[in-house]
């Protein structure tokens, strides 16, 4: 044929570079002239393998014999008749010119044969370039035969070959562009691909093998790859050692993974359109095709094909394969599995298992048998050496491998057998990064941890975020109590519940490291995912969390143990509802608060209520049979707060106050239940906790602003508690008033002393638990007035203090405190009016004075409103205010 003649003609050029360009030119000229007629698989195979050419040659030879015989007969019969003999001779020499039929047109088989022959010859020429002599390179070198000169020449040839590689790859591009109606996956798999792979393995050139394998992956359709995946992968183990198998296998995985994603998206879009439009019957074929496309990848069991290919590579290269390449191959396989086979835990386990065994010093061999079993069938060398050393690249790749499944699996990674083992191969800092990624994934998933073994494993994985490497060895053991904790260790001894010490274990994570606060916040959020409907199990979970988190040192305790305390508060409310279930119609007094105590309210972080008790637990009361009761939980939270106290005294102080509130609530519940005899016991706990908070305030709260906030918290807590014995309550409120009078700043003294007045006038008249000492109320308000007067002499901006004190007088007067009369209120109104005139309040530019004046006017309007109200007119009538 013409194509065969052209192929033969270009063979005359033997220079590799010239031959490459000549054949590439020929390829360009025939681009739109290649025959595209249909051909069967057998026809294509015959043409490519040369059987059709041999048959055609035999045909021609037979015709030549016929011609020769005819010529001899004519010579014998007609020598005397020259013209007739010539005519007869002419007719015998060219019989088929006159009688033969025109040849059949070319088919796609001829195009495939032409392109494969051209590819084979161009690849040979391309490989030969590396052996060409380099006249310029040798001449320029002082020692042409020196090793350095040869090395430079090889590098130059490699660069030249890299620049010319596209000429060879164009043949494969042309093959992929042939009419897909006639070039089927069967023809590709049985003719084209075997021919290309045969030339690939025969050339034995690493550069050519790597480039051609990449070309095959990129230029041919995905459907062809699916049909011939096993053939393609079988060649990988036969490539030269210098060929990077990982990039080849990884590229094929990426190609098929993207194909699967695209098919899935198309199917989802078509499914949505069919649902919206109701379908018209025409799209059924397309939908069926897309569904078949989506399932075809899983039908060929691509994962185990890739897995077997990788195992053969391990067998071929043995222990010489660097750890980073082993990890990279398994990373690519893991990515492919998560993309195409999401949720297949056994496949993920196989990838991690291979890495774990290889890094531990075992050499991975071929799988036993023909089954598609996972890495459980992998053989390893019997002689196990020491673990392999990882370089920086291998460490980064291993960290990447361990981070990949976290986004999709989150907590389910704890089910993987080899995950924790692989973590041990990472340096401590890299383990920290993996732990942070894992925590983010777990928190994003929002799934709760409800199994103790799972929680233990989780905290062992995130240990690098809790402790530094030097102190990890004793991270979970019990330490010796220090002086700051020992003073509270026996606080609950009288309750018959033993208390463990609250020391820190180890040195903890480095607080100066980058991201320390963010990491500790993640650990704190993890605590809130611990959940169990059983209160005993929930307590054990919190105990496990504290045992691990206490190893983080004093700086991290503020972030990690505080959530443990609040989770214990939530559990306490749940246990209280079970232990004292009965006639209690209210949940007791509210927790600590920092709103203005003049209204008898509170303002710190409230303790959440949890009424998720099971029906069996709600039977409660005297039938309470749980191992963990309220007393045990109070010991737990007291110990935990004692651990926090050295690093943040103010926070620990607030937590102590909240514990006291909850203890008071337990006492109220006990009084209202069938266990009224236990009420005084919890009142005593509340008192002891308050005493501990006062000790902490005296010893460790030194900042003046923190002291003021703490005293306000004290006042709110004492107003919230309703079950203190009278003597205990009086001792606590007296101590609080003394603290208020000792504040450094006079303005702070004035504010807190006036608030202390509320501590001496609580409850209703008929409430047996109320505490009322009107004389102490008057003393507090008069002391506040003296301090306010001193402050106003120093600065007119402190006139606001007088207005605040007026509010307190009005409050107690309205609540009929016997010692607060109308003369006090009227006199204070006149005093403030005089102060306002003296400082020129109506015309001043001072913001603080203007605010005080507006506040004072609002208070006057309130008094006038009360004077006009029928219910309070008689009470407020004696008060004199300016009109």
């Amino acid at each position: 044929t013409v194509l065969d003649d052209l192929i033969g003609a270009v063979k005359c050029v033997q220079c590799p570079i010239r031959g490459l360009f000549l054949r590439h030119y020929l390829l360009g000229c025939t681009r739109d002239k290649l025959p595209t007629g249909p051909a069967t698989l057998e026809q294509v195979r015959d043409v490519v393998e040369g059987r059709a050419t041999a048959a055609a040659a035999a045909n021609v030879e037979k015709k030549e014999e016929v011609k020769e015989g005819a010529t001899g007969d004519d010579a014998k019969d007609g020598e005397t008749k020259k013209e007739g003999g010539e005519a007869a001779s002419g007719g015998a020499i060219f019989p088929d010119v006159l009688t033969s039929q025109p040849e059949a047109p070319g088919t796609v088989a001829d195009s495939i044969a032409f392109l494969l022959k051209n590819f084979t010859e161009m690849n040979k020429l391309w490989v030969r370039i590396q052996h060409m002599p380099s006249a310029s390179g040798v001449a320029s070198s002082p020692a042409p035969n020196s090793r350095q000169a040869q090395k430079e020449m090889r590098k130059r040839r490699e660069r030249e070959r890299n620049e010319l590689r596209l000429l060879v790859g164009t043949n494969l591009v042309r093959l992929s562009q042939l009419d897909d109606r006639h070039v089927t996956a069967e023809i590709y798999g049985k003719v084209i691909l075997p021919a290309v792979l045969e030339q690939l393995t025969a050339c034995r050139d690493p550069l050519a093998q790597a480039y051609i394998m990449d070309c095959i992956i990129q230029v041919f359709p995905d459907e062809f790859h699916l049909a011939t995946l096993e053939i393609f992968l079988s060649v990988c183990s036969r490539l030269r050692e210098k060929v990077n198998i990982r990039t080849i296998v990884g590229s094929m995985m990426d190609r098929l993974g993207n194909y699967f994603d695209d098919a899935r998206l198309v199917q989802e879009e078509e499914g949505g359109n069919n649902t919206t439009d109701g379908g018209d019957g025409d799209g059924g074929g397309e939908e069926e095709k897309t569904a078949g496309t989506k399932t075809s990848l899983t039908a060929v069991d691509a994962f185990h094909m890739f897995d077997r290919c990788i195992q053969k590579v391990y067998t071929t290269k043995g222990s010489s394969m660097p750890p980073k390449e082993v990890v990279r191959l398994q990373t690519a396989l893991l990515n492919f599995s998560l993309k195409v086979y999401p949720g297949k835990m056994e496949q993920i386990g196989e990838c991690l298992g291979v890495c774990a065994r290889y890094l531990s010093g075992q050499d991975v061999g071929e799988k036993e048998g023909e089954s598609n079993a996972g890495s459980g069938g992998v053989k390893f060398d019997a002689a196990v050496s020491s673990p392999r050393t990882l370089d920086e690249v291998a460490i980064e790749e291993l960290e990447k491998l361990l981070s990949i499944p976290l986004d999709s699996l989150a907590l389910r990674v704890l089910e993987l057998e080899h995950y924790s083992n692989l973590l041990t191969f990472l340096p401590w800092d890299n383990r920290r990064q993996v732990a942070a990624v894992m925590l983010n994934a777990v928190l994003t998933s929002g799934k709760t941890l409800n199994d103790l073994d799972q929680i233990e494993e989780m905290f062992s994985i995130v240990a690098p975020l809790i402790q530094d490497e030097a102190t990890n060895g004793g991270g979970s053991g019990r330490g010796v109590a220090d002086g700051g904790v020992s003073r509270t260790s026996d606080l609950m001894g009288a309750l018959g519940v033993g208390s463990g010490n609250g020391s820190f274990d180890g040195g903890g994570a480095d607080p100066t490291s980058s991201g320390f606060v963010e990491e500790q916040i993640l650990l704190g959020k993890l605590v809130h995912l611990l959940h169990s409907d059983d209160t005993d199990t929930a307590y054990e979970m919190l105990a496990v969390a504290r045992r691990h988190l206490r190893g983080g040192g004093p700086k991290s305790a503020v972030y990690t143990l505080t959530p443990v305390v609040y989770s214990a508060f939530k559990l306490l409310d749940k246990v209280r509802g079970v232990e004292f279930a009965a006639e209690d119609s209210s949940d007791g007094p509210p927790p600590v608060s920092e709103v203005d105590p003049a209204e008898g309210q509170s303002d710190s972080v409230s303790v959440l209520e949890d009424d998720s008790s099971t029906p069996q637990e709600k039977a409660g009361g005297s039938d309470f049979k749980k191992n963990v009761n309220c007393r045990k939980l109070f010991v737990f939270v007291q110990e935990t707060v004692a651990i926090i106290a050295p690093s943040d005294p103010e926070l620990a102080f607030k937590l102590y106050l909240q514990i006291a509130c909850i203890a008071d609530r337990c006492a109220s519940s006990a009084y209202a239940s069938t266990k009224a005899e236990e009420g005084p016991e919890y009142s005593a706990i509340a008192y002891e906790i308050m005493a501990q908070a006062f000790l902490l305030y005296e010893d460790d709260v030194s900042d003046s602003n923190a002291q003021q906030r703490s005293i306000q918290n004290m006042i709110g807590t004492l107003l919230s508690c309703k079950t203190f014995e009278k003597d205990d309550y009086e001792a606590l409120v007296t101590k609080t008033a003394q603290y208020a009078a000792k504040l450094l700043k006079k303005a702070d003294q004035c504010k807190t002393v006036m608030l202390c007045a509320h501590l001496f006038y609580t409850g209703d008249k008929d409430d047996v638990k109320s505490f009322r000492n009107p004389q102490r109320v008057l003393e507090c308000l008069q002391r506040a007035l003296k301090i306010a007067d001193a402050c106003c002499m120093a600065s007119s901006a402190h006139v606001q203090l007088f207005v605040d004190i007026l509010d307190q007088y009005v409050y107690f007067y309205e609540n009929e405190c016997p010692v607060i009369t109308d003369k006090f209120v009227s006199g204070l109104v006149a005093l403030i009016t005089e102060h306002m005139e003296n400082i020129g309040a109506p015309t001043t530019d001072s913001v603080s004075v203007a605010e005080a004046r507006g506040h004072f006017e609002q208070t006057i309007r309130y008094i006038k409103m009360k004077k006009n109200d029928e219910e309070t007119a008689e009470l407020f009538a004696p008060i004199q205010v300016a009109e």
Side-chain angles (χ1 to χ4, degrees), residues 399 402-403 406-407 419 423 426 428-444 458 461-466 514-516 518-523 526:
E399 180 184 334
L402 294 173
S403 301
L406 294 177
D407 290 336
Y419 193 87
L423 277 174
L426 289 176
W428 200 254
D429 288 342
N430 298 87
R431 289 179 63 182
R432 280 182 57 201
Q433 296 175 18
V434 174
V437 173
M438 182 174 186
L439 278 181
N440 277 312
V442 170
L443 294 171
T444 302
M458 182 69 185
I461 291 176
V462 301
L465 298 178
I466 302 173
S514 60
F516 171 78
E518 291 77 7
E519 292 170 353
Q520 302 309 305
I521 290 175
L522 288 177
L523 288 170
L526 178 64

Side-chain angles (χ1 to χ4, degrees), residues 242-263:
K242 292 183 179 180
V243 178
N244 193 334
I245 305 297
R246 176 184 56 81
T247 57
I248 295 172
V249 177
S251 297
M252 180 61 83
M253 290 179 185
D254 291 341
R255 179 78 188 265
L256 295 182
N258 293 334
Y259 167 70
F260 181 82
D261 279 348
D262 294 342

Side-chain angles (χ1 to χ4, degrees), residues 637-700:
V637 293
Q638 181 267 336
E639 291 174 355
T640 309
V641 175
I643 299 174
I644 300 174
S647 53
D648 194 336
E650 186 180 1
L651 173 61
F653 176 81
K654 291 180 179 180
L655 293 175
Y656 275 131
L657 296 183
Q658 293 194 39
I659 297 173
C661 274
I662 298 174
D664 181 78
R665 187 180 303 175
C666 288
S668 298
S669 298
Y671 283 126
S673 71
T674 58
K675 294 184 176 182
E677 69 279 0
E678 295 186 14
E681 186 177 354
Y682 287 100
S683 296
I685 293 177
Y687 177 78
E688 293 293 339
I689 293 294
M690 287 296 297
Q692 180 59 41
F694 284 13
L695 287 175
L696 184 64
Y697 172 84
E698 292 177 355
D699 294 343
D700 298 319

Side-chain angles (χ1 to χ4, degrees), residues 35-41 44 108-109 112 178-185 187:
T36 58
T40 64
L41 172 64
V44 174
V108 72
I112 293 173
L178 293 176
D179 192 345
D180 57 0
R181 294 174 300 174
H182 307 311
V183 180
T184 62
I187 292 175

